[in-house]
Amino acid sequence: MTSLTGLAVHSGLFIGRAKLIQSPSAQIPSRRISTTEVNTEIAALQESLNFLEKEFNHYLDNSALSETEKDILQTHLMILRDPEIEKELLYTIESMHFTAAAAVSSVYSKICQQFKEMDNDFFASRVGDYRDVSQRIVGRLLNISTTVEYKWDSDQIAILDEISPSQVSTMARCGLKAYCSVSGSLNSHASILSRALGLVSIVSLPKLLDIVQDDDILIVDAHRGTLIHKPDPAQLSHYAALLAAEQKKQAWLEEQTGLETVTADGRRIELYVNIELPEELDRVLKLESDGIGLFRTEFLYLDRNSLPQEEEQFDVYSKMVSALAPKPVTIRTFDLGGDKLSHLIPTKEELNPYLGSRGIRFSLSQPELFKTQLRAILRASVFGRIRIMFPMIIDAEDFKQARDLVKQIMQDLDNEGIAYDPCIELGSMIEIPSAALTADQLAQTCDFLSIGTNDLVQYTLATDRNNDAVSAYYIQHHPAIMMLIKRCIDACNTYGKALSICGEMASIPRFIPFLLGLGIRALSVNPHSYIDSKLIIRRCDQELFDSFESFDPTLSQANNEAMLKSLARYYERS
Ligand code: PEP
Ligand code: MG
């Protein structure tokens, strides 16, 4: 038995057998070709490129593919037929006398290396796309099956060096439920897709291929990010029991779907879902939630080869809002900028991107891009109930600028005779201390507010939310955070405006009773936590609310910790 620890991309447990997905690069001939072989190798290269182009186009015609999958295929098609790359390939075969396969491997490796050296998360995540295309060409040239279009047995776990976005979607379509890879990062395109498609997965396991062989028994514990290789009988039965309990709990949780979200003493709490990809819609519908409390639309932008235009966005928003009607869909306008940048939008590099042109600032600085999104949202608003929410708002003046732009688009649509919901609600995220401190003015100006604790904690405590080294300072129940949350609650109560929390804090069991005790009445949680959150809410009772009557959450951290502990009976049983 050996265990390896990596990064859990999507949590869950899986017990099964390993199936290694070979990388064709190991089989590339290293010999140089003679002059007489040059034409044959060029012809083989052309045949492979033409074949794959047809194959990509054939997949693209498949209407069952999601927009995200189609977009990835289009990106790959563009890489495959990139004239600069083709020129370089021909040169490498003709002048350096490489075989076609070796030329592909060499040229693409150089491109990947250049991307990696850019020290930019976006370009680093594109490496997977280039490697994917390169492997497909080499696979075709050497007649090795690298595609993973293979009927996966229900107990098989894919083991790879690195997983590409196309491998994720192809394998999931062919029945794969879990995978582990040597490299990978949590924010890559492949990881985003894995989460959306529900694959139990761990990446960044450097020793993976040294120890795992075909058909070895594995336990993928993606709750802890641990892979157990050849577990002993005791571990196997321990995990089999855990898995059975998890499946039983899942089945039981699904049965609870229809329960009302109401506390034991009869207070109705609104419970919404956060969503990143349109592909999550079916799963979200099954939860019978109160609606979507946060749609992070910037995911429509990331890792694309073309900007999502008005029609495409309209299509996504209108499908979503029609499917959920009459429940609300809260569309957060692009929170681009900072670390979430598209290579398609030329921008200046910033020394401190989290304090730079991000969220609403970025959108206001790119009016054409912003207007396109607002037009698409407004047009979709006739199909149900849309609420527009702006990210990274600092105060009411900032909000008004965004609101003015919405009004301008409404005017344009009026002139064109295009329908929209004239009463569409406009709200602001509270994720910057200045917004919370001026919540009074914001509550008077906006139709609703939603607290983004992920950033609010980061900015209030000056603690990078992604930096493990300072995670001890990332204290969500810090008295300063409580002061800001209370300020928002008071402001919204005074002006009769809706308030929710959509940051991760709302999805963490131990904070749920605490937030309700503070006076929060609407939460937006990630889909995995939805039913658990509902059950916690249903356990909250009069005694809990009474205990908050004399409790001051702004006093001290220790005080809040003691309170959280004393509320364990509400969240620990879930
Ligand atoms: C937040 O900051 O809490 C939030 C919900 O926004 P994001 O996590 O997308 O920054
Ligand atoms: Mg945020």
Side-chain angles (χ1 to χ4, degrees):
M1 188 280 295
T2 326
S3 73
L4 303 175
T5 302
L7 301 171
V9 170
H10 179 63
S11 67
L13 285 180
F14 198 87
I15 303 175
R17 290 176 297 129
K19 169 150 180 74
L20 272 68
I21 302 292
Q22 250 192 15
S23 158
S25 48
Q27 300 178 40
I28 294 171
S30 55
R31 73 182 181 90
R32 293 293 162 102
I33 55 171
S34 64
T35 318
T36 53
E37 290 172 291
V38 165
N39 285 342
T40 319
E41 290 298 311
I42 290 180
L45 174 70
Q46 297 299 3
E47 189 281 334
S48 301
L49 297 182
N50 292 339
F51 174 86
L52 289 170
E53 183 177 359
K54 265 199 214 133
E55 194 175 66
F56 284 161
N57 279 319
H58 172 71
Y59 290 145
L60 276 169
D61 288 340
N62 175 356
S63 57
L65 290 182
S66 67
E67 281 308 314
T68 312
E69 287 171 312
K70 281 189 180 156
D71 199 61
I72 292 167
L73 272 174
Q74 259 151 1
T75 306
H76 288 192
L77 189 54
M78 194 190 74
I79 295 171
L80 179 81
R81 295 264 63 152
D82 183 326
E84 287 304 311
I85 299 181
E86 270 187 67
K87 221 159 67 190
E88 193 64 27
L89 289 172
L90 293 182
Y91 172 81
T92 311
I93 298 172
E94 280 166 352
S95 309
M96 298 168 71
H97 288 210
F98 277 37
T99 61
V104 172
S105 166
S106 154
V107 168
Y108 276 86
S109 297
K110 264 190 240 154
I111 297 171
C112 291
Q113 195 51 39
Q114 282 162 5
F115 277 160
K116 280 185 185 163
E117 281 164 10
M118 283 182 194
D119 193 23
N120 169 313
D121 278 356
F122 172 75
F123 286 111
S125 65
R126 295 302 302 272
V127 167
D129 292 319
Y130 281 83
R131 197 169 287 157
D132 193 352
V133 174
S134 151
Q135 295 209 343
R136 279 180 182 247
I137 309 173
V138 172
R140 174 75 191 162
L141 283 163
L142 302 181
N143 205 15
I144 302 167
S145 169
T146 58
T147 59
V148 272
E149 280 156 63
Y150 153 88
K151 178 87 193 65
W152 288 85
D153 290 343
S154 58
D155 66 338
Q156 279 182 319
I157 300 163
I159 303 295
L160 318 88
D161 184 18
E162 184 181 21
I163 196 160
S164 66
S166 73
Q167 283 176 319
V168 170
S169 58
T170 312
M171 291 200 289
R173 213 175 27 252
C174 296
L176 185 81
K177 299 276 180 291
Y179 73 83
C180 294
S181 67
V182 174
S183 53
S185 69
L186 295 182
N187 297 318
S188 69
H189 204 158
S191 293
I192 294 169
L193 269 180
S194 302
R195 281 190 286 272
L197 298 171
L199 295 177
V200 177
S201 37
I202 305 179
V203 299
S204 191
L205 296 161
K207 300 228 170 77
L208 182 70
L209 293 177
D210 299 341
I211 62 162
V212 178
Q213 306 208 330
D214 267 336
D215 291 322
D216 285 352
I217 300 295
L218 303 175
I219 295 172
V220 184
D221 178 351
H223 291 303
R224 296 187 304 142
T226 306
L227 174 72
I228 304 173
H229 175 241
K230 293 191 180 168
D232 56 39
Q235 271 174 319
L236 209 50
S237 65
H238 169 70
Y239 271 97
L242 282 183
L243 187 60
E246 193 168 284
Q247 284 164 345
K248 211 164 138 198
K249 184 179 171 194
Q250 195 51 39
W252 180 79
L253 282 175
E254 277 160 24
E255 283 167 21
Q256 314 306 306
T257 310
L259 291 176
E260 230 196 320
T261 313
V262 64
T263 60
D265 60 329
R267 296 165 212 247
R268 173 78 169 93
I269 306 295
E270 288 163 43
L271 193 58
Y272 300 95
V273 184
N274 294 347
I275 183 168
E276 277 83 45
L277 292 174
E279 286 82 346
E280 293 174 90
L281 183 59
D282 283 347
R283 206 173 52 187
V284 166
L285 287 173
K286 287 195 189 118
L287 294 174
E288 298 177 20
S289 69
D290 286 319
I292 292 178
L294 168 66
F295 175 23
R296 292 178 160 103
T297 57
E298 62 276 7
F299 277 80
L300 295 174
Y301 255 79
L302 301 179
D303 290 346
R304 305 244 328 193
N305 67 337
S306 63
L307 296 175
Q309 294 303 315
E310 186 179 322
E311 284 314 307
E312 183 188 337
Q313 292 188 52
F314 168 71
D315 200 45
V316 169
Y317 306 146
S318 53
K319 271 193 192 127
M320 202 173 280
V321 74
S322 309
L324 275 132
K327 296 171 180 172
V329 174
T330 312
I331 300 183
R332 178 175 77 181
T333 59
F334 302 130
D335 184 15
L336 286 166
D339 62 337
K340 292 190 265 188
L341 268 176
S342 167
H343 66 304
L344 302 164
I345 311 162
T347 43
K348 270 207 211 138
E349 202 177 312
E350 297 182 311
L351 274 179
N352 205 341
Y354 278 103
L355 302 183
S357 180
R358 194 193 148 180
I360 195 65
R361 305 168 187 183
F362 185 81
S363 292
L364 289 170
S365 73
Q366 305 277 338
E368 288 317 309
L369 176 146
F370 195 24
K371 282 181 186 169
T372 301
Q373 181 176 37
L374 292 175
R375 270 184 73 96
I377 298 175
L378 284 169
R379 284 175 53 207
S381 66
V382 291
F383 295 98
R385 181 170 164 214
I386 289 186
R387 311 192 319 160
I388 303 180
M389 179 158 75
F390 302 114
M392 306 299 291
I393 291 285
I394 61 163
D395 58 19
E397 292 312 308
D398 212 17
F399 171 81
K400 282 181 197 162
Q401 281 197 62
R403 189 182 62 185
D404 287 348
L405 211 60
V406 174
K407 288 191 175 149
Q408 204 181 307
I409 306 292
M410 286 179 167
Q411 189 72 56
D412 293 348
L413 293 176
D414 283 339
N415 296 340
E416 294 167 49
I418 297 174
Y420 61 88
D421 171 8
C423 302
I424 196 162
E425 292 159 84
L426 302 179
S428 166
M429 285 204 67
I430 304 286
E431 41 192 355
I432 298 180
S434 63
L437 290 167
T438 57
D440 248 31
Q441 286 103 304
L442 273 166
Q444 288 175 70
T445 324
C446 303
D447 295 315
F448 66 94
L449 303 181
S450 187
I451 306 176
T453 48
N454 304 338
D455 278 315
L456 188 63
V457 174
Q458 151 162 281
Y459 291 126
T460 307
L461 304 179
T463 303
D464 184 344
R465 63 193 257 190
N466 300 315
N467 183 350
D468 273 357
V470 289
S471 60
Y473 294 90
Y474 193 86
I475 305 155
Q476 308 190 59
H477 55 279
H478 193 281
I481 304 298
M482 295 305 126
M483 284 179 205
L484 298 178
I485 293 180
K486 276 201 77 58
R487 222 177 161 94
C488 295
I489 296 174
D490 292 345
C492 286
N493 284 344
T494 306
Y495 297 101
K497 297 295 167 70
L499 173 71
S500 62
I501 295 203
C502 64
E504 279 303 298
M505 194 175 183
S507 299
I508 300 174
R510 72 190 189 114
F511 288 127
I512 294 174
F514 195 93
L515 292 171
L516 298 194
L518 286 182
I520 292 290
R521 293 291 175 267
L523 301 172
S524 190
V525 302
N526 64 53
H528 307 291
S529 319
Y530 191 83
I531 301 177
D532 249 351
S533 307
K534 179 188 288 204
L535 297 178
I536 294 170
I537 292 170
R538 287 176 59 86
R539 286 200 288 271
C540 292
D541 55 14
Q542 184 66 44
E543 199 182 328
L544 164 89
F545 295 103
D546 287 347
S547 66
F548 271 81
E549 292 282 317
S550 54
F551 174 69
D552 182 357
T554 67
L555 222 53
S556 78
Q557 197 177 311
N559 206 27
N560 291 349
E561 270 152 24
M563 182 53 127
L564 280 164
K565 228 180 189 165
S566 78
L567 301 177
R569 66 185 182 283
Y570 299 109
Y571 56 80
E572 259 181 5
R573 268 181 291 156
S574 64

